């Protein structure tokens, strides 16, 4: 483990240099890693481990679309793809990657297969942190830890195939075997992490729920919609409004931020843009900080987790979710975006 300086604070991190893939393979050589669920995180994590030489199997319900997806991805029924209970029985490490609501429903089945010495692996602190709501309380004789990639399973897989890595947090909730640290870090490397930073289950879920509702998804959509609507109300066309609100940010400016930071992005924009951004950023911070404080309080008090459980446990949750996503998709903002994306040079048909 290395100690690195992050803006004046020292943190424990694990890099591929000090914990290379060969070491991860050695730690996991006698493990059977059972990935339970093949939805959002499952495919990326399972395929990356498979490509990294880890003995990984998938547990999924036969006859579902996700079972068929696993088959199409190269998992073989009866060899590396099994019904959930059979995978749970075979696995020495249970990667519990179902949705939070599905984890609650399946927990009694999972728990009976957590025999002494096994490991229970999460990619989210939800089930353990909010155990009074979820009922997920592991037996004392198994390791319990998490690796939480800081992005979607799709991004994790794409970056792996590009030879890159998606940063992940790790946390140990329970070390029953004395090997939890080596196991969790080995799995973090195996799933394709760029580097691993230390956290705990509570901090992971608090930051994750805040981020998803905040700058990663909820806040950014709200800001996009607000600026787009103001531009449209003042006579700007959908094309101009979308380009100034979304396209320039995602295609030009955010890649610069990712490359070298916000100050570097500012330095590569016009002096007029720099002046305006420096004048206005604190106003936006001051305007939105109370909202973020309310959001964090809602997360920390369990309000957000209960909302999620109540909503996602209903039999018609998928239909309601699809309707809400359709509202976004069919809005003028994102319909304009669909046309703008089609006009990017890389999306134009190559002329003969």
């Amino acid at each position: 483990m290395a100690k690195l300086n992050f803006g004046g604070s020292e943190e424990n991190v694990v890099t591929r240099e000090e914990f290379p893939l060969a070491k991860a393979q050695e730690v996991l050589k006698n493990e059977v890693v059972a990935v339970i669920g093949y939805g959002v995180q499952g495919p990326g994590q399972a395929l990356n481990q498979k490509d990294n030489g880890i003995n990984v199997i998938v547990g999924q319900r036969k006859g579902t679309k996700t079972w068929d997806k696993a088959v199409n991805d190269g998992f073989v029924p009866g060899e590396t793809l099994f019904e959930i209970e059979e995978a749970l029985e075979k696995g020495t490490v249970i990667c519990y990657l179902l949705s939070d609501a599905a984890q609650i429903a399946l927990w009694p089945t999972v728990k009976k297969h957590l025999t002494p010495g096994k490991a229970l692996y999460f990619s989210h602190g939800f089930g353990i942190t909010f155990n009074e709501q979820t009922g997920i309380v592991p037996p004392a004789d198994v390791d319990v830890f998490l690796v939480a990639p800081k992005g979607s399973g799709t991004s994790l897989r794409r970056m792996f195939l590009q030879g890159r890595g998606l940063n992940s947090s790790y946390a140990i909730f329970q070390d029953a075997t004395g090997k939890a640290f080596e196991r969790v870090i080995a799995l973090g490397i195996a799933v394709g992490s760029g580097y691993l930073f230390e956290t705990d289950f509570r901090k992971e879920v608090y930051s994750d729920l805040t981020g998803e509702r905040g700058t990663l998804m909820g806040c950014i959509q709200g800001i996009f919609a607000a600026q787009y609507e103001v531009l449209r109300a003042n006579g700007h066309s959908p094309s101009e409004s979308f380009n100034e609100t979304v396209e320039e940010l995602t295609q030009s400016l955010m890649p610069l931020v990712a490359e070298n930071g916000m100050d570097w992005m500012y330095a590569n924009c016009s002096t007029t843009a720099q002046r305006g951004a420096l004048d206005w950023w604190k106003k936006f911070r001051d305007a939105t900080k109370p909202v973020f404080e309310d959001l964090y309080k809602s997360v920390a008090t369990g309000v957000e987790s209960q909302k999620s459980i109540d909503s996602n446990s209903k039999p018609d949750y998928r239909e309601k979710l699809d309707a809400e996503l359709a509202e976004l998709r069919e809005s003028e903002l994102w319909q304009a975006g669909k046309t703008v994306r089609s006009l990017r040079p890389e999306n134009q048909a190559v002329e003969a």
Side-chain angles (χ1 to χ4, degrees):
M1 186 181 297
K3 279 191 177 292
L4 295 182
N5 188 301
F6 292 84
S9 296
E10 282 198 337
E11 295 185 30
N12 294 325
V13 301
V14 181
T15 69
R16 297 182 190 182
E17 183 176 352
E18 62 192 287
F19 207 108
L21 177 58
K23 184 174 181 179
Q25 291 169 334
E26 177 65 23
V27 169
L28 299 174
K29 66 180 181 181
N30 295 320
E31 304 276 15
V32 177
V33 180
V35 173
I36 307 302
Y38 208 74
V40 177
Q41 280 288 335
Q45 293 202 30
L47 288 168
N48 290 358
Q49 289 185 77
K50 180 172 177 282
D51 289 351
N52 275 332
I54 307 304
N55 183 13
V56 59
I57 63 176
V58 172
Q60 189 56 47
R61 290 188 176 87
K62 191 178 293 185
T64 62
K65 290 181 180 179
T66 44
W67 174 281
D68 294 339
K69 176 173 170 51
V71 171
N72 290 335
D73 285 345
F75 291 97
V76 180
E79 295 181 15
T80 54
L81 176 61
F82 302 92
E83 289 275 4
I84 290 175
E85 282 222 49
E86 189 171 358
L88 287 168
E89 184 177 354
K90 292 178 179 294
T92 60
V93 176
I94 307 302
C95 291
Y96 205 22
L97 301 182
L98 294 168
S99 69
D100 294 320
Q103 284 186 13
I104 296 170
L106 192 66
W107 176 244
T109 301
V110 173
K111 188 174 182 179
K112 72 180 182 182
H113 289 285
L114 290 175
T115 51
K118 285 193 176 187
L120 180 61
Y121 165 113
F122 293 88
S123 281
H124 194 20
F126 192 102
I128 294 292
T129 301
F130 300 113
N131 59 32
E132 290 186 358
Q133 296 170 337
T134 66
I136 297 177
V137 179
D141 50 11
V142 299
D143 291 344
V144 182
F145 44 67
L146 67 78
V147 172
K150 296 298 104 180
S152 71
T154 300
S155 298
L156 183 71
R157 182 60 177 165
R158 285 178 179 174
M159 293 176 76
F160 177 86
L161 293 174
Q162 293 167 357
R164 302 163 64 200
L166 191 63
N167 299 332
S168 301
S169 61
Y170 77 92
I172 298 171
F173 178 75
Q174 194 166 278
D175 183 5
T177 67
K179 301 183 296 182
F181 178 78
E182 281 204 333
R183 281 171 125 179
V184 70
I185 299 302
L187 287 158
I189 297 298
V191 301
S193 302
Y195 79 91
L196 293 142
F197 61 93
E198 190 176 32
T199 188
D200 60 43
F201 273 63
R202 180 183 62 83
K203 288 178 180 175
E204 190 285 328
V205 71
Y206 283 16
S207 62
D208 191 66
L209 293 183
T210 300
E212 290 167 349
R213 286 149 179 77
T215 59
L216 302 179
M217 296 173 68
C219 174
I220 199 70
Q221 164 60 20
I223 291 172
F224 282 164
Q227 179 171 303
Y228 182 88
E229 290 169 11
V230 168
L231 291 174
R232 289 290 288 124
N234 283 277
H236 298 270
S237 69
S239 178
E240 183 171 56
S241 299
F242 186 86
N243 273 283
E244 291 294 341
T245 300
V246 178
E247 191 75 352
E248 186 172 354
L249 175 69
T250 60
Q251 298 302 297
S252 173
L253 301 184
M254 281 297 106
L256 297 182
V257 175
E259 190 175 339
N260 273 314
M262 186 69 77
D263 60 321
W264 194 77
M265 183 268 276
Y266 278 22
N268 282 274
C269 294
S270 71
T271 55
T272 301
Q274 291 174 25
R275 183 67 268 145
L278 290 168
D279 286 345
W280 278 87
W281 80 263
K282 291 181 181 177
K283 294 181 181 180
F284 281 107
R285 178 200 61 191
D286 294 345
T288 59
K289 191 173 179 182
V291 180
F292 279 99
E293 288 169 342
D294 287 345
L295 167 56
Y296 193 87
K297 181 179 178 181
S298 188
V299 169
T301 56
V303 172
E304 293 300 310
S305 56
Q306 192 62 55
K307 283 182 183 177
S308 178
I309 292 169
D310 291 345
S311 173
N312 297 339
S313 299
K314 292 178 180 176
D316 62 346
Y317 90 96
R318 177 59 64 181
E319 291 80 3
K320 289 183 176 178
L321 173 65
D322 289 345
E324 290 182 274
L325 293 176
E327 181 183 357
L328 283 180
R329 183 174 60 251
E330 293 166 9
S331 67
E332 185 188 272
L333 167 63
W334 293 110
Q335 285 297 304
K338 182 179 180 181
T339 303
V340 170
R341 288 191 297 276
S342 73
L343 294 171
R344 292 174 188 163
E346 66 269 25
N347 293 332
Q348 295 290 294
V350 178
E351 295 183 6

